Amino acid sequence: MAVTQFTLPTGSSISVLLHQFYLYSKGRFLGFKRGQRAQHENTALIQLENVNSKEETTYYEGKRVAYLFRAPTAKKGSNIRCMWGRITRPHGNSGVVRAKFRHNLPPSAMGSTVRVMMYPSNI
């Protein structure tokens, strides 16, 4: 939150507390979909923040997911890279969802944060 000073036409000034709003919510990359013996790297499991049931995950189906990471070399003036995916369906009953990325996420990303974008909207 940030405090900003505004000057009114009368000459007096007021302070306003501004909230930050984001176009994404956070999620955590838990690992890959797997059976007892085999793991399927083409499907990632993501725990959504403040989502605790299968019914709450229906809003997020079809939303885009971004995994941001820092690369050792800069491209186009930035070291930050992004891998995009899409939420496909729920996984279990506790707010975990399955997501497919254009390129599979690396195993080093397990436990890291992803951004779940609030678009495309299906409302």
Side-chain angles (χ1 to χ4, degrees):
M1 289 188 262
V3 177
T4 306
Q5 294 267 339
F6 288 106
T7 305
L8 299 175
T10 58
S12 61
S13 64
I14 59 169
S15 311
V16 178
L17 186 65
L18 297 177
H19 294 280
Q20 291 181 335
F21 294 100
Y22 297 102
L23 288 176
Y24 64 88
S25 65
K26 290 185 180 180
R28 185 147 317 269
F29 172 48
L30 302 177
F32 300 109
K33 183 181 119 179
R34 56 171 296 135
Q36 187 176 4
R37 292 169 191 85
Q39 130 176 318
H40 306 284
E41 293 89 4
N42 59 346
T43 304
L45 301 179
I46 296 173
Q47 173 70 58
L48 300 173
E49 189 177 63
N50 302 323
V51 177
N52 298 313
S53 70
K54 182 187 273 191
E55 291 75 29
E56 294 173 358
T57 62
T58 55
Y59 170 78
Y60 292 94
E61 289 180 24
K63 299 282 191 263
R64 298 188 70 191
V65 183
Y67 167 63
L68 292 152
F69 62 98
R70 292 186 187 277
T73 57
K75 284 193 176 180
K76 298 181 182 176
S78 176
N79 283 37
I80 298 175
R81 310 263 169 85
C82 183
M83 296 175 79
W84 287 98
R86 193 174 295 272
I87 293 177
T88 57
R89 54 171 294 184
H91 179 84
N93 295 312
S94 61
V96 177
V97 294
R98 298 182 193 179
K100 288 191 176 274
F101 284 78
R102 290 182 188 156
H103 299 282
N104 296 343
L105 291 179
S108 60
M110 285 185 192
S112 61
T113 304
V114 295
R115 293 180 178 184
V116 180
M117 302 299 173
M118 292 295 115
Y119 53 83
S121 176
N122 52 15
I123 295 177

